[in-house]
Amino acid sequence: MKQCISCGMPMRKKEDFANQDMTKDYCVYCVKEDGSMNTFSEMVDGTAKFLIQTQGLSEEAAREAAVYQLKQLPHWKNAEE
Ligand SMILES: [Zn+2]
């Protein structure tokens, strides 16, 4: 099973992959409609929002956690905020 290099989501079926292309290393949620990948700050925003909703973190704590989580993933290892 593949895992998205950008958000870590497990990708099992065609619909999980960007452009429904199973050779891709990233998922449908990590690309924009024009096919370009989300930037690091867009990923931090999205992840932070998710953490605030699901875990009730403060904005600041959520952003810190989001940056930490994303940096565990191969695509963002050396990313700058
Ligand atoms: Zn992804």
Side-chain angles (χ1 to χ4, degrees):
M1 187 191 68
K2 267 183 159 178
Q3 218 185 1
C4 175
I5 56 163
S6 172
C7 73
M9 184 183 97
M11 302 188 294
R12 296 188 179 85
K13 47 187 195 301
K14 204 171 72 161
E15 290 74 31
D16 294 337
F17 289 79
N19 307 325
Q20 306 202 356
D21 178 351
M22 294 186 85
T23 65
K24 292 273 195 305
D25 292 321
Y26 44 92
C27 77
V28 64
Y29 303 108
C30 290
V31 286
K32 302 194 193 82
E33 277 175 22
D34 67 6
S36 64
M37 281 191 83
N38 288 344
T39 64
F40 187 61
S41 70
E42 284 168 339
M43 291 299 294
V44 170
D45 283 350
T47 307
K49 221 176 270 172
F50 178 77
L51 290 172
I52 292 167
Q53 278 167 9
T54 57
Q55 297 184 33
L57 298 183
S58 70
E59 170 98 38
E60 204 189 326
R63 291 192 72 85
E64 225 167 84
V67 169
Y68 178 80
Q69 274 185 25
L70 287 167
K71 289 206 173 215
Q72 310 300 308
L73 295 159
H75 190 64
W76 304 115
K77 216 168 38 193
N78 302 310
E80 298 292 332
E81 216 189 332

